[in-house]
Amino acid sequence: MAGVKLEGVAKHFKGAVAVAEFNLDIKDGEFLVLVGPSGCGKSTTLRMVAGLEEPTYGRIMIGNKDVTKLEPKDRDIAMVFQDYALYPHMNVYHNLAFGLKLRKMPKNEIEERVKMAAEILSISHLLERYPRQLSGGQRQRVALGRAIVRNPQVFLMDEPLSNLDAKLRVQMRAELVKLQRRLKTTTIYVTHDQTEAMTMGDRIVVMKDGYIQQVGTPEEIYHEPANLFVADFVGSPSMNFLEGELCTEEGCIWFKAQGIRVNLRNSLNLEELNENKVVLGIRPEDIYLHRPSPEKVCEELLCQTELIEDLGSEKIVFLKIEGQELQARLRDGAAPVTVGGNTPAYLNLNKVHLFRKSTGKKILFRGR
Amino acid sequence: MSLPAPEPQKSAQPVPSRKWPEFLRHIPLVLYSLIIITPLSLVFFATFKDLSQLYTNPLGLPRSWDLANYTRLFQNENMVVYFKNSMIVTFTSVFFILFFGSMISYAIIRMPKWTGAILFSFITLGMMIPTQVNMIPTYVFFAKLDLLNKHLGLIIVTVATLLPICVFILTGFMKTLPKGLIEAAMIDGASHWKIYTRLVLPLSGPALATAAIFCFVIAWNDLLYPLLFIKSAELKTLPLALLQFQGEYLTDYPMIFSGVVVASIPMVIIYTFLQKYFIAGMTAGSMKG
Ligand SMILES: Nc1ncnc2c1ncn2[C@@H]1O[C@H](COP(=O)(O)OP(=O)(O)OP(=O)(O)O)[C@@H](O)[C@H]1O
Ligand SMILES: [Mg+2]
């Protein structure tokens, strides 16, 4: 078992920057998720840890060992690929045993380890089969099995669930997390699916265009997004954004947009900010359509309802205010609204986020 | 050669009209196979006839399936020796062609893109140089190395001339192997040698079979280099021996034909064994495994 440390790691492909600068200290036994849109450099980062790509700059440590220049086979890692990459001419047993045989492990020990891994993943009955005779989910398990029999220092997984259908994906997600808790092996997991990231990671790294946007626990990422990108990327439906300006009136900070005035009831140093164009963000579940209990500090806005999506356990209400759109998520009972009518919407001011319009960076309130 | 010939419909039932195009499509195939099969069977039948019978009845079936020509062939001539020589030269050559060719191809696909491309074009350039061009230099060169009139010399030159085709076929195939497989093996701890022997070679079966058949046929039938290199009768290969028959049995066609038939047996056997892979190799890359 060991942690992984990336120090100023960068990867350039013929001048194009795939990963700009990656600094991260991954703790021993941690489940770390790299998440971001397509092409942001997640796979490249993972492949550099695996040793399949050589970093242009920087240093990679596994445990206390500098592995930057080492071959993949000398790094004591295992990787699960998106397309599983099972050896098609070997049956499941030999797929699992291949890595152990190469390490010259005695035969009976190999057998023991393969049997144990197969049991953990409940694929014991498939050991004689060839990859082409397996379903997608079974192949996925074999790919995982090939990683765990080796008992490596680090698991690397590149979108291992993305080829599965939705239901199986949810099931495997939970199983993977349980497996990782049980084995306590440091894991770096790549996905472009924010739900996967939120549900699986001990910590999440959000990336965009080769840069780390934010590192944090799922709660931090969700409730304290560091910038507009993270706020928008995480959460489904995603956060609502209103564009406007900040100004001071009657000793309070106000957010103003055309036809919208929100008293933020919070203190900010506007001079320090030296720009007043901002984006106000609020998550759909922090907008209420009926008057909340008085201890919640809210601002009331009058909106038109445009559409209601009923998802069974919750309803998504699409609202419009002065040409800007908002979505509210209602969890309890029937929505007290009808489509096409006007309704008051209450924004929970404790859950409001402000971002600079120019850079997208979060603006911190004094009080929090 | 069991191409099912479309039988003319004898019954009065009308043929569904959309069946016709398919039937028509078979016509060129049938004609083509007739063009191939007819002379082959004439040659084959002729080996059971004596000379007078061949002249009086060149096209018909032989009067009896008499093996006299074959017996004579093996008794009067060193047929067994020639056969053995051909076997030695061809099998050794094909073995080394595949051995070196697969290693070169593996190296090409694992090299950085540009180096691989340069090496690949350098080697396959060899396919474009006609034999006649370097016949004399090769002869002089091999004479200096004292490799003339030796099987070893013949094997070396065969390997050298056929290696480019082999590399061409194998590299094309190996490039289509999923890169993830090789990466998975690297992470599993495999060295280049293990990746080559345990992963790339077993998965390249179809391409290896294709290259093997190609090279086998060319090497087995090769007349030019044996003619150039081999002097001693006991070292001659089959095609060279058959050439000499032509002088010896100037008009004894049944004897010459018998030699030809004997010479082609191994090719038929090899092809039958490998054809399953051969077809797969020819269409490799057109489908994902
Ligand atoms: N071998 C390569 N040569 C050149 N550019 C590359 C290479 N591999 C990746 N890139 C580029 O680097 C960037 C990051 O790629 P990467 O595969 O890491 O993205 P990703 O975050 O994994 O995306 P996805 O979610 O689509 O898998 C992309 O812009 C890609 O085009
Ligand atoms: Mg990727």
Side-chain angles (χ1 to χ4, degrees):
Chain A
M1 303 296 135
V4 179
K5 205 187 238 164
L6 293 103
E7 294 172 357
V9 172
K11 178 73 190 178
H12 299 186
F13 287 112
K14 297 195 197 88
V17 179
V19 177
E21 201 192 345
F22 205 101
N23 286 298
L24 192 66
D25 204 342
I26 303 162
K27 291 189 280 288
D28 186 12
E30 189 171 8
F31 196 120
L32 184 96
V33 177
L34 293 182
V35 69
S38 188
C40 70
K42 311 175 296 277
S43 296
T44 308
T45 308
L46 196 73
R47 291 167 58 82
M48 285 193 285
V49 177
L52 297 172
E53 305 278 1
E54 201 181 326
T56 317
Y57 304 111
R59 206 156 73 112
I60 298 170
M61 314 269 294
I62 295 179
N64 295 322
K65 205 158 102 192
D66 184 343
V67 299
T68 319
K69 297 273 176 233
L70 292 188
E71 292 282 311
K73 66 184 166 76
D74 302 322
R75 295 188 180 204
D76 202 6
I77 44 147
M79 186 156 169
V80 180
F81 293 82
Q82 180 175 354
D83 52 7
Y84 316 141
L86 300 179
Y87 309 125
H89 58 303
M90 299 180 195
N91 65 18
V92 170
Y93 180 90
H94 286 108
N95 260 283
L96 297 191
F98 187 62
L100 304 178
K101 272 192 244 163
L102 289 172
R103 286 182 163 73
K104 307 229 156 42
M105 192 177 274
K107 212 163 177 161
N108 51 349
E109 201 180 334
I110 293 180
E111 208 169 311
E112 214 168 277
R113 284 233 210 161
V114 170
K115 283 213 173 111
M116 205 159 81
E119 210 141 287
I120 292 175
L121 294 161
S122 31
I123 50 172
S124 304
H125 58 296
L126 302 173
L127 287 176
E128 298 298 317
R129 296 230 199 137
Y130 284 86
R132 63 174 177 278
Q133 300 166 321
L134 300 175
S135 72
Q138 291 167 336
R139 282 179 209 181
Q140 220 290 321
R141 281 162 199 265
V142 177
L144 274 175
R146 198 168 59 180
I148 68 175
V149 276
R150 295 244 322 275
N151 195 14
Q153 306 243 37
V154 184
F155 288 145
L156 305 173
M157 307 194 185
D158 195 350
E159 313 207 13
L161 305 184
S162 62
N163 281 346
L164 303 180
D165 66 57
K167 197 164 173 191
L168 198 54
R169 194 154 57 214
V170 173
Q171 184 193 334
M172 283 305 291
R173 200 161 79 192
E175 278 188 36
L176 243 172
V177 171
K178 274 190 269 175
L179 183 66
Q180 199 269 345
R181 297 268 144 80
R182 175 166 161 192
L183 300 172
K184 297 191 181 63
T185 306
T186 314
T187 302
I188 308 180
Y189 184 101
V190 163
T191 178
H192 62 261
D193 178 355
Q194 54 95 15
T195 321
E196 238 169 61
M198 296 294 288
T199 50
M200 298 177 85
D202 291 328
R203 267 198 310 164
I204 297 175
V205 177
V206 184
M207 293 182 72
K208 182 196 166 201
D209 299 339
Y211 287 91
I212 294 184
Q213 302 293 308
Q214 188 173 2
V215 182
T217 61
E219 292 76 35
E220 284 165 359
I221 299 277
Y222 191 79
H223 295 292
E224 308 288 339
N227 57 36
L228 262 180
F229 175 79
V230 177
D232 190 29
F233 187 77
V234 174
S236 165
S238 62
M239 192 184 270
N240 296 296
F241 297 109
L242 296 173
E243 290 190 14
E245 295 180 350
L246 289 182
C247 57
T248 325
E249 266 174 41
E250 305 154 23
C252 278
I253 304 283
W254 291 74
F255 170 85
K256 282 191 189 168
Q258 194 194 12
I260 307 173
R261 279 167 59 86
V262 179
N263 183 349
L264 294 173
R265 292 173 217 172
N266 228 317
S267 53
L268 274 175
N269 191 339
L270 278 191
E271 261 136 56
E272 236 172 61
L273 200 61
N274 68 39
E275 96 177 276
N276 61 359
K277 291 226 183 307
V278 295
V279 176
L280 180 149
I282 184 159
R283 295 217 176 263
E285 60 268 32
D286 299 323
I287 300 179
Y288 317 119
L289 295 189
H290 38 224
R291 188 175 292 281
S293 51
E295 69 265 23
K296 281 188 176 154
V297 190
C298 287
E299 180 77 28
E300 185 179 332
L301 296 174
L302 196 66
C303 304
Q304 294 98 47
T305 47
E306 299 228 293
L307 178 73
I308 299 176
E309 272 182 3
D310 196 340
L311 302 176
S313 64
E314 60 186 35
K315 291 187 174 66
I316 311 293
V317 183
F318 292 73
L319 304 165
K320 197 155 207 178
I321 175 165
E322 300 292 335
Q324 307 210 53
E325 287 177 4
L326 293 175
Q327 293 175 23
R329 172 191 274 174
L330 307 180
R331 289 183 180 283
D332 33 4
V337 286
T338 47
V339 177
N342 284 345
T343 179
Y346 303 89
L347 312 191
N348 185 343
L349 291 181
N350 278 322
K351 297 293 179 70
V352 160
H353 308 269
L354 281 184
F355 306 96
R356 289 170 198 264
K357 177 120 194 291
S358 53
T359 60
K361 279 225 172 78
K362 186 184 179 69
I363 300 169
L364 288 173
F365 292 108
R366 279 257 174 85
R368 288 194 213 157
Chain B
M1 298 294 123
S2 63
L3 211 142
E7 279 191 287
Q9 303 256 335
K10 284 182 202 118
S11 60
Q13 282 172 358
V15 182
S17 58
R18 63 190 161 82
K19 279 246 159 137
W20 271 102
E22 183 158 341
F23 171 74
L24 287 175
R25 248 180 287 148
H26 283 304
I27 292 180
L29 295 178
V30 172
L31 287 179
Y32 182 70
S33 32
L34 285 180
I35 292 172
I36 301 285
I37 292 169
T38 314
L40 274 182
S41 30
L42 288 185
V43 167
F44 183 65
F45 293 153
T47 63
F48 299 101
K49 301 170 180 172
D50 60 25
L51 200 52
S52 63
Q53 203 190 134
L54 184 68
Y55 280 130
T56 51
N57 177 22
L59 301 181
L61 288 174
R63 219 173 291 140
S64 66
W65 300 101
D66 181 8
L67 291 174
N69 286 320
Y70 290 104
T71 333
R72 201 146 61 92
L73 191 68
F74 279 93
Q75 272 168 2
N76 294 7
E77 299 294 336
N78 287 329
M79 207 56 186
V80 180
V81 174
Y82 303 142
F83 205 89
K84 205 183 75 198
N85 290 341
S86 263
M87 288 282 217
I88 291 172
V89 171
T90 308
F91 277 101
T92 321
S93 301
V94 170
F95 175 80
F96 281 107
I97 291 166
L98 294 183
F99 183 71
F100 292 130
S102 56
M103 285 210 243
I104 294 170
S105 303
Y106 175 77
I108 288 173
I109 63 156
R110 294 304 307 278
M111 277 178 176
K113 224 176 186 168
W114 274 106
T115 5
I118 290 170
L119 184 61
F120 180 72
S121 17
F122 190 70
I123 288 178
T124 47
L125 212 61
M127 286 196 300
M128 290 158 209
I129 299 169
T131 317
Q132 292 81 346
V133 172
N134 47 21
M135 215 160 71
I136 294 168
T138 311
Y139 184 87
V140 175
F141 183 46
F142 274 57
K144 288 214 168 113
L145 289 176
D146 193 23
L147 284 170
L148 293 182
N149 203 19
K150 282 184 181 144
H151 281 163
L152 180 63
L154 198 52
I155 289 167
I156 290 176
V157 83
T158 309
V159 171
T161 48
L162 291 178
L163 205 51
I165 298 179
C166 178
V167 170
F168 185 78
I169 296 171
L170 289 182
T171 308
F173 184 85
M174 287 183 191
K175 269 192 187 149
T176 67
L177 292 177
K179 234 177 155 152
L181 280 183
I182 291 176
E183 290 177 344
M186 282 166 77
I187 286 175
D188 259 348
S191 56
H192 275 306
W193 177 249
K194 291 280 183 199
I195 296 175
Y196 166 74
T197 53
R198 300 292 191 79
L199 196 67
V200 173
L201 271 193
L203 292 179
S204 299
L208 286 170
T210 307
I213 292 179
F214 252 93
C215 296
F216 184 87
V217 170
I218 296 174
W220 184 263
N221 289 334
D222 187 30
L223 176 61
L224 186 66
Y225 283 114
L227 190 61
L228 207 58
F229 282 17
I230 304 295
K231 299 277 170 312
S232 325
E234 73 276 7
L235 290 180
K236 282 183 178 169
T237 59
L238 273 174
L240 194 55
L242 289 177
L243 188 72
Q244 152 210 323
F245 277 19
Q246 247 174 42
E248 213 171 305
Y249 304 92
L250 202 50
T251 49
D252 195 347
Y253 290 110
M255 273 297 274
I256 296 176
F257 288 168
S258 307
V260 170
V261 168
V262 169
S264 57
I265 289 173
M267 274 188 294
V268 174
I269 293 176
I270 296 262
Y271 187 81
T272 322
F273 271 113
L274 296 181
Q275 72 160 338
K276 188 176 75 184
Y277 297 104
F278 184 66
I279 307 292
M282 297 287 267
T283 59
S286 64
M287 271 188 309
K288 271 218 154 163

